[in-house]
Amino acid sequence: MSSEVEPHSAASETGPPPGSATDRILASGVFDVEWYQHQAGLTFADQAEAVSHYVEEGRRAGWSPHPLFLPARFDPKRWDHDETDPLVAYLEGANGAWEKSTSPLFDPAPAHGPLRPDRAPLASLLEDGDPQTLPLAPDACWLRDGVTLPDVREALREQVGEPVDEVDEEATSWRDSPAANTVPGLMSVVVTDCASTSEVLAALGAIEPVTRAADGRPAQPVEVVLLVPDERHQVSVGLALARLARWDVRVVSVSGPAGTVAAVTAAVHGSRGEHTLLMSARNGFREGTLADWCTAFSESGAAVVHPLVLSSRHLVSDAGVVYPPYGKDPVPFLGGMHPDSVEWPARWFSVPGAPVPLLARTESVRAVLSDDKAGDLWADVSLSQRLAVQEGRPVVVVPDLVGIRRGGAVAFDSSPQPEEDLLAFRTTWRQVPSGSADLFQAFGLSPVFLGVSALSAPEKERSWTRALWLQAEARIQVVESPPSLRWAIKTAAPSADRKRQWGDFHFANSLADALRALGQRAVVDHRRNDDRFSSYTDDVVVTLRGLFAMTLPTNVTSVAWVISHPDAVTARELESYDLRYAASPGWARDVSSTWGLPVRPLLQCTDPSRFYIDDEPVPEVVGKAVFVGNSRGEARPVVMHTAASGTPIAVYGEQWEEFLPPETVAGTYVPNEILRRYYRSAAWALNDHWADMRDRGFVSNRVFDVLASGGRLLTDEIEGLDEITRTVLPERGLARFRTTEDLDAVLAEESGAWYDETSLRALSDYVRKEHSFGARAQVLLEDVLAHRAARRASERDDAGSS
């Protein structure tokens, strides 16, 4: 893009119609004409003309109206095709828009304080002109300190003014210049797939956390090389922001077939790092720092280090690659498996090869790439294998280093010329690396390879070779006593990091731990994984029925445990299960009678390893009522009436700001590992139930957690409450209410009028013993074993009669 902008010839005499998108943006003050002109390569007569151009054309091209508002960050799914302009949608403030960070340069919380109900935080920030120092978003720590709006505008001017031909030349003429001298201790991070601003920012955001000092180790010094397309229109803003990074950032162009390999070669030729980390902008890092990578590299004696890579669904994307016994296509090792179902080696293991991300010595990478004529497809795998040959050292996978693959193909997954690239790979690897058979044996696997040879159908990537990762024991029919089954626990909690705010997430993991304590193998599947391909490895599936129904794999013993939202459960759904349970005796009885399907009562419970009497105080809740839970977008009565009564209250959860005074919202999240202290420290631990749970007698697991923690429970009335702890109830029973008058009456008393220390400890001991996940897991195991034994006996009888 030229540094000069062309005049825009469209007339603007009439101006925007009142109430139009253009009018609303103009009134907001959230439009930076200079910023927009540099992206568009045009000049405009006035701000109104520029805003009109943005509304009609620019937003669909992905251009940003202001440095603090990037449409693709605000809503990556709508800016290029939705009729509603994303900036207008933000200004309207619907669906929590004002709580979002709209740019790496803008975090609304520190910028604005408590949100105003009448004005977008970004508009409020800009009311008095440019802020001196920008309030950076939490994921923008890669930016240098003290960045201002003039800094950002100048960075964009420099970016669009940089002649592209000079950068193109860097990718093609590297042979004419000597390789850069490497600096001991420095790491060069070479990033492919930087085709948009979002991808550039995602890559920089992924790199920063793993460069930090941790566990007594110093921060890892890095330089970053971004591989971007020749046409940089969609990435100009991202490259401008990259100029403001706290590291040295270079740019290399990618052009033409096999362009990524050529760009990587140029990038490494000019890199100064002692080691090179080759990654995609679609790679992230979940466990381990770059210093840990270097330690693993040194201690393992590897030519290449590769992490365990999980997909966006938190299943294994790959643990390196392997080859079929008679095939030549690399296959992602353990691809599709649940990571908790695999017994990983203690430190690392060798694999034939690996895709990105890869860590290797820069000098070695230069040596194997210097004459590389291979195409882009599988070039990362080929690079790892060539490095292993070059150095006579292995490619190792380190399970403690965990990466994330965010989704979408990386540059080395596909190619515009697949047949040529496949031929190039076959030519280079007429004899594929050894080691696959040894790896299968070490992991106790007897895999079955499916699909077609890639070379026989180069245009059909989805049909290329893949594998079923069968346990070797499945082939030889080992009979264990007691049997150790493979359990998959399916929950409605999402697979994203916010799953930790879902009670179902902790419920599922505590149940899995309890089953493991009984000698079983158990994994937890989040909502997006309920249909994972590797379900063929499961023996038992337990659906914790909450908000959503789940799909069931074939050939398993299926168990439904209805723990919430009973009104959403249908007879047809329950009919598909072998065993059925419900956390309400009354509902189980009614459904069994009405639908003719046996449903056994199985109450919710607590995890004694996390919920017990812990007298370490939490000062901010002492003497107060405490509530830990999200608002669910509604004014939950137990919280609202407690606050209105004048009782001091501390609320932890999300989306409470619109219902409660700021001083009562103590935080958004309490780690489950220390939640017991909050329940124990508070004067009252508040609880309520969804309406359908209360009406149907589904006692919340919070009741069990509070009592196990020695907390002073105050809950809404629900059928079966006293029966839970009838043998150790305090004299007045558990504190509960039916009406707001009941609640006010209880709060008017001291909690000591309901609970003394002796009764609290007796309740804790009883609940932790009788209502533990271990007790529930024992019931499930016994019933599943009995069902499977009956099924086998029936099959033998059928075989005998035939």
Side-chain angles (χ1 to χ4, degrees):
M1 180 184 294
S2 171
S3 61
E4 298 182 359
V5 292
E6 301 174 1
H8 185 53
S9 60
S12 60
E13 290 85 356
T14 59
S20 67
T22 300
D23 197 35
R24 301 183 72 174
I25 293 172
L26 281 169
S28 73
V30 186
F31 194 88
D32 189 317
V33 175
E34 180 189 6
W35 176 260
Y36 184 72
Q37 284 183 153
H38 280 294
Q39 296 170 76
L42 302 168
T43 57
F44 299 94
D46 53 30
Q47 189 177 47
E49 186 181 51
V51 173
S52 294
H53 186 274
Y54 162 76
V55 170
E56 294 168 7
E57 300 181 38
R59 72 178 181 88
R60 297 185 188 277
W63 296 337
S64 160
H66 193 280
L68 305 188
F69 188 88
L70 307 185
R73 182 180 176 99
F74 172 66
D75 190 341
K77 297 181 180 179
R78 66 186 295 180
W79 56 265
D80 60 344
H81 64 273
D82 200 293
E83 289 303 315
T84 302
D85 176 72
L87 180 51
V88 172
Y90 170 74
L91 295 172
E92 290 175 347
N95 301 319
W98 293 354
E99 300 175 7
K100 294 183 179 180
S101 167
T102 54
S103 164
L105 305 166
F106 179 63
D107 180 13
H112 195 76
L115 297 181
R116 283 172 50 181
D118 61 335
R119 192 156 176 78
L122 181 51
S124 297
L125 179 74
L126 298 172
E127 280 179 340
D128 300 324
D130 290 354
Q132 290 300 308
T133 301
L134 294 173
L136 303 183
D139 61 348
C141 295
W142 51 269
L143 284 162
R144 67 180 186 232
D145 296 332
V147 174
T148 65
L149 278 176
D151 293 336
V152 180
R153 294 189 187 100
E154 178 60 28
L156 183 60
R157 282 195 293 267
E158 293 175 355
Q159 175 57 40
V160 299
E162 180 176 296
V164 174
D165 288 343
E166 292 182 10
V167 183
D168 285 343
E169 188 176 352
E170 185 177 358
T172 57
S173 63
W174 58 269
R175 295 175 186 273
D176 299 330
S177 60
N181 294 326
T182 57
V183 177
L186 181 68
M187 181 182 295
S188 298
V189 183
V190 178
V191 189
T192 69
D193 302 300
C194 298
S196 70
T197 287
S198 296
E199 288 167 334
V200 168
L201 301 184
L204 297 175
I207 294 168
E208 193 280 331
V210 293
T211 64
R212 299 176 190 166
D215 299 328
R217 298 181 182 181
Q220 173 62 49
V222 299
E223 65 170 4
V224 178
V225 187
L226 304 175
L227 308 190
V228 305
D230 272 343
E231 174 51 60
R232 301 186 186 175
H233 187 67
Q234 293 292 339
V235 76
S236 60
V237 169
L239 296 182
L241 295 178
R243 289 174 176 268
L244 303 173
R246 57 177 70 246
W247 321 298
D248 179 25
V249 178
R250 293 192 296 120
V251 175
V252 173
S253 286
V254 178
S255 59
T260 302
V261 170
V264 169
T265 304
V268 177
H269 187 77
S271 294
R272 299 179 299 113
E274 180 182 10
H275 295 91
T276 292
L277 174 67
L278 178 61
M279 62 175 282
S280 166
R282 298 187 178 97
N283 290 140
F285 305 98
R286 196 175 88 171
E287 300 290 343
T289 67
L290 294 185
D292 296 325
W293 283 61
C294 292
T295 298
F297 188 91
S298 173
E299 293 183 355
S300 66
V304 175
V305 162
H306 176 69
L308 166 65
V309 180
L310 305 183
S311 70
S312 58
R313 297 170 63 182
H314 289 219
L315 302 176
V316 175
S317 179
D318 79 83
V321 301
V322 293
Y323 291 89
Y326 305 103
K328 295 189 176 182
D329 291 350
V331 177
F333 184 46
L334 298 174
M337 293 295 290
H338 195 297
D340 292 344
S341 69
V342 180
E343 294 184 11
W344 300 103
R347 301 190 72 184
W348 47 71
F349 55 92
S350 299
V351 293
V356 289
L358 303 169
L359 181 69
R361 294 173 183 83
T362 299
E363 295 292 350
S364 297
V365 177
R366 288 174 180 172
V368 301
L369 283 176
S370 59
D371 296 314
D372 200 333
K373 303 298 183 183
D376 284 350
L377 181 62
W378 296 342
D380 50 347
V381 174
S382 184
L383 171 62
S384 69
Q385 295 173 176
R386 294 178 68 177
L387 286 166
V389 173
Q390 164 85 8
E391 296 197 3
R393 299 168 181 263
V395 178
V396 302
V397 173
V398 184
D400 286 343
L401 303 177
V402 181
I404 294 290
R405 180 161 166 168
R406 296 189 183 91
V410 306
F412 306 113
D413 290 341
S414 58
S415 167
Q417 48 178 25
E419 188 164 359
E420 291 84 346
D421 285 6
L422 287 166
L423 283 169
F425 187 86
R426 289 289 179 91
T427 300
T428 302
W429 299 102
R430 295 187 185 281
Q431 183 67 40
V432 300
S434 61
S436 296
D438 292 340
L439 197 59
F440 303 152
Q441 184 175 8
F443 277 78
L445 297 173
S446 183
V448 173
F449 290 90
L450 311 171
V452 299
S453 164
L455 193 58
S456 69
E459 304 289 347
K460 299 181 179 179
E461 293 177 40
R462 294 182 181 274
S463 302
W464 293 356
T465 310
R466 57 192 185 280
L468 301 179
W469 305 105
L470 301 183
Q471 293 291 324
E473 63 188 25
R475 297 283 184 87
I476 58 178
Q477 297 294 311
V478 173
V479 178
E480 301 181 34
S481 182
S484 180
L485 303 176
R486 294 180 292 270
W487 298 64
I489 302 168
K490 299 186 181 293
T491 170
S495 59
D497 288 340
R498 62 190 179 91
K499 65 181 179 288
R500 295 186 178 277
Q501 297 184 350
W502 283 55
D504 288 9
F505 166 79
H506 300 291
F507 194 101
N509 280 276
S510 291
L511 178 59
D513 288 341
L515 287 166
R516 294 177 189 129
L518 294 174
Q520 305 300 294
R521 288 167 285 178
V523 301
V524 174
D525 282 323
H526 309 297
R527 189 193 316 162
R528 293 177 61 196
N529 292 342
D530 76 318
D531 61 347
R532 60 178 165 83
F533 178 67
S534 60
S535 292
Y536 59 80
T537 63
D538 300 332
D539 297 314
V540 185
V541 165
V542 179
T543 293
L544 299 177
R545 182 56 160 94
L547 277 173
F548 304 101
M550 298 288 174
T551 56
L552 288 175
T554 187
N555 198 38
V556 297
T557 301
S558 55
V559 180
W561 189 359
V562 182
I563 61 174
S564 65
H565 301 287
D567 289 351
V569 180
T570 65
R572 179 177 178 182
E573 179 185 345
L574 286 187
E575 178 68 40
S576 62
Y577 286 89
D578 298 314
L579 299 170
R580 308 163 196 88
Y581 303 87
S584 166
W587 191 84
R589 180 182 61 250
D590 294 345
V591 166
S592 297
S593 174
T594 304
W595 292 344
L597 298 170
V599 179
R600 180 176 176 181
L602 193 65
L603 300 180
Q604 293 202 43
C605 49
T606 191
D607 186 339
S609 69
R610 290 197 171 184
F611 294 95
Y612 53 86
I613 292 179
D614 181 347
D615 286 321
E616 181 175 341
V618 180
E620 56 264 36
V621 303
V622 171
K624 299 180 181 179
V626 68
F627 183 85
V628 182
N630 299 330
S631 76
R632 306 170 182 159
E634 62 184 36
R636 297 174 70 162
V638 69
V639 175
M640 302 307 295
H641 288 298
T642 299
S645 73
T647 301
I649 185 172
V651 177
Y652 295 84
E654 293 189 339
Q655 299 180 323
W656 280 109
E657 289 79 5
E658 62 180 302
F659 302 113
L660 294 170
E663 62 271 15
T664 65
V665 182
T668 59
Y669 177 63
V670 176
N672 194 254
E673 295 81 2
I674 60 172
L675 183 53
R676 61 184 177 273
R677 298 175 189 166
Y678 288 73
Y679 290 153
R680 176 66 171 167
S681 297
W684 293 106
L686 303 178
N687 178 65
D688 65 356
H689 293 84
W690 289 91
D692 58 350
M693 290 180 65
R694 182 175 59 249
D695 296 342
R696 303 287 188 168
F698 282 77
V699 178
S700 164
N701 73 299
R702 187 187 285 114
V703 168
F704 298 95
D705 292 345
V706 170
L707 296 176
S709 303
R712 299 153 187 87
L713 176 71
L714 175 52
T715 182
D716 49 354
E717 182 65 83
I718 186 170
E719 180 186 354
L721 189 61
D722 284 345
E723 282 73 10
I724 292 174
T725 57
R726 179 172 295 279
T727 60
V728 292
L729 275 176
E731 182 179 348
R732 299 179 65 181
L734 299 174
R736 90 285 307 279
F737 62 92
R738 289 183 183 273
T739 65
T740 57
E741 291 78 13
D742 293 342
L743 178 57
D744 289 340
V746 175
L747 291 171
E749 301 182 79
E750 295 290 336
S751 54
W754 289 82
Y755 302 101
D756 58 39
E757 188 61 22
T758 300
S759 64
L760 290 175
R761 292 188 176 275
L763 285 168
S764 173
D765 292 343
Y766 183 84
V767 168
R768 296 176 66 249
K769 177 182 178 182
E770 300 297 330
H771 297 292
S772 68
F773 277 99
R776 304 296 187 257
Q778 187 67 51
V779 171
L780 294 174
L781 177 58
E782 290 174 359
D783 288 359
V784 163
L785 293 178
H787 176 83
R788 292 171 69 89
R791 179 70 178 269
R792 288 193 298 271
S794 176
E795 291 171 350
R796 287 194 297 269
D797 291 344
D798 290 344
S801 62
S802 63

